[in-house]
Amino acid sequence: MTRESNVEQRLITYDDGIVRRFIIAAVVFGVVGMLVGVVIATQMVWWQANLGVPYLVFSRLRPLHTNAVIFAFVGNSMFAGVYYSTQRLCKTRMASDALSKIHFWGWQLIIVAAAITLPLGITTSKEYAELEWPIDIAIAVVWVVFAINFFWTLAKRNEKNLYVSLWFYIASIITIAVLHIVNSLEIPVSITKSYSAFGGVQDALVQWWYGHNAVAFFLTTPILGIMYYFMPKAAERPVYSYRLSIVHFWSLVFMYIWAGPHHLLNTALPDWAQSLGMVFSVALWAPSWGGLINGILTLRGAWDKLRTDPVIKFMVASLTFYGMATFEGPLLSIRSVNALAHYTDWIIGHVHSGALGWNGFMAAGTFYWMVPRLFGTKLYSKRAADLHFWMATTGIILYTVALWVAGVSQGLMLRAQGPDGALVYPSFIETFLVIRPLWIVRLVGGALYLVGFLIMGWNLAKTALAGKAVDGQVSVTVEERQGVLAPTRSAGWLLTRPGFLLVLAAVVLSFFLGGANLTTGIVVLVALVVLGGGAWLWFKARPSSAGQPTWHALVEGKPLLFTVLLLVAVLTGGIAQILPTVFAPSAVPYTGEVQKPYSPLELAGRDVYTREGCYLCHSQMIRSLQHETQRYGAYSRPEESIYDHPFQWGSKRTGPDLARVGGKYPNIWHYVHLLDPRATSPGSNMPSFSWTGDYTVDVSMMPRKMIVMQKLGVPYSNVEVDAARDTYRRQADAIVADLANEGVEVPWDREVVALIAYLQRLGRGPQLDKPAPTASTAVPGGR
Amino acid sequence: MYTAFYRASEYLNLTVVSTVLFVALFLGVLVWVAVEKPQRFDSAARQPLEGDAEGSEVP
């Protein structure tokens, strides 16, 4: 439709108040998140630092640390950068101040809810998605509010094209929504407890599809968008290559989504999914370094600023850490390298070079850019910013190098075999004692980074106090539309006979090419639409000349089309990898008792296991590697964990694998170990979980939990559900009697009894009517 | 083991079709960007530098 229009000049005032609020929140929660990190790093070396308080134990604080740093610190700093740059790139104020405020306060409430629930042990036990279902719903609602505000702002923009930063923001908003919703599918048992809709290998695949892409689309793509905006601003020159940014963007969003399975190499995940994840992870190196080169070379001709401008200094260092992390990531995704590094501190070091170096430094660079401008003054102290930079850089280097050495050392020790083929270090504790000094270096590095961050907070606060809040303005020429004159084009062609025949032909061709298979036909149809649309845009954008928009510029001018293309790009990998496994037939091969559902007591013990975060230090996944099977027993098979909602494969071994710990030790060993780990495993850094001997299990909840499990496909009969309390009591009494024989009196309804039952179950069938292993079967030094 | 796990699954071919689709589109964009004239992107690249008078160095 064409419209009459009047041209007028308008002064736009940006909503910079929301940017200031997000910066303050980012700094405050950054301090909290990093402080918790230092506390748990201390506990790794000196377990006593938990003061014997359940809420301060490592395994409950570790999710708080990761959630606080990822979603509170990086999240708030990302939102600050997005709100600041989106308004300026669209030359318009955010569409709704109210939605901006709902987004801000909603996000902070979610963070507070996380800070309360995680130390209480209210957790789903899915890494980086530990928050329980009511908070999951709140996250989805707040994210939708953010998305509406963002896309509404794009719709009312006063700039024809969408700059590359905005593409990255769109990618982040859309993909995080998809990831969060799918990975959070769960059935509630109570207000504070739910079970994942997926189980075992399916849950593992969905979780790491989410986990890896949370890194990709929460910690990387929005920060790249911020880099593409602030780097040219700080360097006072356009981005080095806009063409490279197009390749960078599309290849990154296409490839990232496939890479999740590299978190599950050599596990029970099917080989084809592992190989696909590995190949795409290695290929990711190219687009990642494309972005790195584009950012760094934006400084061409302005390298002198690196000496004087803290903004440039932090951004260049940030990109350098991004380059190192995105080289190390593909390297770690190679199956043989991963066999050494996975479950060790190398991965923790890798993650922190990204979080502290890439995210932390980019956040600092943008804060040092924005705060003086948001308060109409100069940065309070450049020297303090320099001090922050060098303390933080030293801290990161100490941290990552120490954990790299620790990871490689431990990995090599765990696989070392003597001339006779036997393990050189059969006791896991031996490897821990070797790397313990390196954990002290890590602690020093982390503490240095935190002090540097506090200096930044002080510097920014002094800057803000020296000025007063000012909102940016821009003068724009806008067209005021006045009514509809005449139609020029419409989608009515679809209803014409040729149009109808064309659509029909496309559908028939799709199903013919798809071998009359519904799913393949739909995929082929989408492919035809995308390729046909691309060809149409290509020809529409001809002839190629400097004044004519490219086909990509035409797409950029249409946010809805751009978002649809992006969704196709992102969903392609997700659907291809996840659907085959998630919709695999449930009739997996029957291999014995391991596939029988947990007894009520074992299920209760499993809930205690997830609440205490045992999975954060103990895996339940014996990889198909010789030294692993030598140490822990036969490798884990996919059908063994099909009733695990959620899965408990873990991602780090601070202690040994537990997949086949059942029957390895007598009940009394587990009892003593849980209450005083060093009594059974001298030198261990495992905290005491003495409160499990005092807390009681709410046995009345067991039928309800089993009904939820029934809904998830776990084959409990109604008779078993009805008899849950009696069955629970019978099995608990047997364990209590066994402990009494060893001189320990424990009431039957204590959590420790359930936990022992669960641990004795791992790797074998239900232990309902079986005698406990005797002391003679214990394996000394196993931990 | 996996053969049994995936027996009768009709979704495995999705992986092949999606991978081909992905590679075709990606290569298409790559070729286009390589042959396109860089001058056509100049105005888009300058977008962050337009519209305000914010200086470069920390004030």
Side-chain angles (χ1 to χ4, degrees), chain A residues 84 163 233 236 243 251 254 268 270 280 305 369 373 378-379 474 520 523 538 544-545 548-549 551 576 581 585, chain B residues 2 5-7 13-15 17 22 26 32-33 36-37 40-41 44 47-48 51-52 54-59:
Chain A
Y84 186 90
Y163 181 65
K233 295 288 278 187
E236 287 186 291
R243 291 196 297 174
S251 52
F254 256 120
F280 277 94
K305 288 174 183 282
W369 165 271
R373 288 165 177 83
K378 296 200 309 189
L379 183 67
V474 67
T520 313
V523 171
W538 176 285
S544 173
S545 66
Q548 283 288 112
W551 69 267
T581 300
Chain B
Y2 296 127
F5 195 80
Y6 287 105
R7 186 176 295 140
N13 50 9
L14 273 177
T15 304
V17 174
F22 154 73
F26 175 65
W32 168 71
V33 166
E36 195 55 272
K37 292 180 179 129
R40 296 186 82 191
F41 303 100
Q47 252 179 268
D52 57 22
E54 292 165 333
S56 63
E57 297 243 343
V58 173

Side-chain angles (χ1 to χ4, degrees), chain A residues 407-428:
Chain A
V408 173
S409 302
Q410 191 177 34
L412 290 173
M413 288 178 79
L414 287 170
R415 64 165 54 188
Q417 291 170 313
D420 59 348
L423 293 171
V424 176
Y425 305 100
S427 167
F428 195 93

Side-chain angles (χ1 to χ4, degrees), chain A residues 228-451:
Chain A
Y228 270 114
Y229 177 79
F230 284 97
M231 196 69 176
K233 295 288 278 187
E236 287 186 291
R237 58 208 65 222
V239 65
Y240 170 67
S241 168
Y242 201 75
R243 291 196 297 174
L244 182 55
S245 71
I246 293 174
V247 177
H248 176 209
F249 173 77
W250 286 109
S251 52
L252 204 70
V253 295
F254 256 120
M255 287 185 198
Y256 242 133
I257 208 81
W258 297 79
H262 71 220
H263 289 261
L264 301 166
L265 295 179
N266 303 301
T267 68
L269 187 74
D271 282 348
W272 67 265
Q274 294 187 32
S275 300
L276 210 54
M278 183 180 82
V279 167
F280 277 94
S281 302
V282 172
L284 257 177
W285 183 15
S288 299
W289 275 41
L292 159 74
I293 289 165
N294 218 2
I296 295 273
L297 290 185
T298 299
L299 261 189
R300 69 201 183 285
W303 282 103
D304 56 299
K305 288 174 183 282
L306 194 57
R307 282 185 286 111
T308 54
D309 189 347
V311 174
I312 296 275
K313 202 175 284 184
F314 273 100
M315 287 187 181
V316 168
S318 168
L319 280 165
T320 308
F321 280 113
Y322 176 66
M324 288 191 277
T326 52
F327 170 77
E328 196 180 28
L331 178 73
L332 288 167
S333 301
I334 297 169
R335 207 184 287 231
S336 52
V337 180
N338 191 273
L340 174 76
H342 193 49
Y343 294 131
T344 75
D345 284 310
W346 188 352
I347 306 299
I348 315 299
H350 165 65
V351 168
H352 281 79
S353 71
L356 301 175
W358 163 236
N359 295 123
F361 273 22
M362 190 57 75
T366 55
F367 292 165
Y368 284 129
W369 165 271
M370 288 190 286
V371 169
R373 288 165 177 83
L374 291 169
F375 288 92
T377 185
K378 296 200 309 189
L379 183 67
Y380 180 73
S381 169
K382 272 192 184 183
R383 291 186 66 183
D386 279 340
L387 181 62
H388 169 206
F389 177 83
W390 287 111
M391 287 185 83
T393 303
T394 309
I396 298 172
I397 290 170
L398 285 176
Y399 193 110
T400 53
V401 171
L403 289 196
W404 184 77
V405 175
V408 173
S409 302
Q410 191 177 34
L412 290 173
M413 288 178 79
L414 287 170
R415 64 165 54 188
Q417 291 170 313
D420 59 348
L423 293 171
V424 176
Y425 305 100
S427 167
F428 195 93
I429 290 279
E430 287 180 90
T431 67
F432 155 67
L433 293 174
V434 166
I435 62 176
R436 191 170 177 270
L438 292 160
W439 286 350
I440 297 173
V441 178
R442 179 261 293 272
L443 173 60
V444 172
L448 262 180
Y449 192 93
L450 173 62
V451 173

Side-chain angles (χ1 to χ4, degrees), chain A residues 610-728:
Chain A
T610 56
R611 185 196 69 198
E612 296 300 340
C614 305
Y615 62 95
L616 292 164
C617 293
H618 295 282
S619 58
Q620 286 185 26
M621 173 47 60
I622 302 170
R623 296 177 294 172
S624 50
L625 303 168
Q626 193 195 6
H627 63 275
E628 294 235 337
T629 54
Q630 262 183 299
R631 184 178 298 276
Y632 302 120
Y635 63 82
S636 300
R637 298 185 303 275
E639 64 270 17
E640 287 183 277
S641 51
I642 55 169
Y643 301 134
D644 278 4
H645 295 268
F647 79 116
Q648 293 294 303
W649 293 7
S651 65
K652 168 74 168 65
R653 287 177 185 154
T654 303
D657 186 273
L658 300 181
R660 305 207 185 282
V661 76
K664 197 170 179 183
Y665 308 105
N667 291 331
I668 187 66
W669 186 94
H670 284 294
Y671 178 84
V672 174
H673 184 238
L674 287 165
L675 270 58
D676 182 8
R678 278 142 296 279
T680 54
S681 309
S684 168
N685 68 339
M686 177 170 147
S688 161
F689 291 92
S690 57
W691 49 89
T692 58
D694 301 323
Y695 292 0
T696 56
V697 174
D698 183 1
V699 183
S700 67
M701 283 293 289
M702 294 318 299
R704 192 166 171 179
K705 289 182 175 181
M706 292 169 76
I707 288 169
V708 170
M709 285 292 184
Q710 271 183 325
K711 289 178 184 166
L712 293 169
V714 180
Y716 288 119
S717 68
N718 290 338
V719 174
E720 286 173 318
V721 173
D722 292 340
R725 275 167 279 206
D726 293 338
T727 316
Y728 184 107

Side-chain angles (χ1 to χ4, degrees), chain A residues 59-64 66-67 113-114 116-136 186 190-196 606-616 645-648:
Chain A
S59 49
R60 292 197 194 187
L61 286 188
R62 195 267 195 175
L64 179 61
T66 52
N67 278 271
I116 294 169
T117 56
L118 292 173
L120 289 174
I122 298 169
T123 171
T124 63
S125 84
K126 295 181 75 160
E127 287 185 69
Y128 321 125
E130 289 93 347
L131 302 176
E132 266 296 353
W133 67 273
I135 308 176
D136 281 342
E186 53 216 1
S190 67
I191 191 75
T192 58
K193 179 72 187 167
S194 65
Y195 290 130
S196 171
R606 191 173 188 280
D607 288 342
V608 177
Y609 184 93
T610 56
R611 185 196 69 198
E612 296 300 340
C614 305
Y615 62 95
L616 292 164
H645 295 268
F647 79 116
Q648 293 294 303

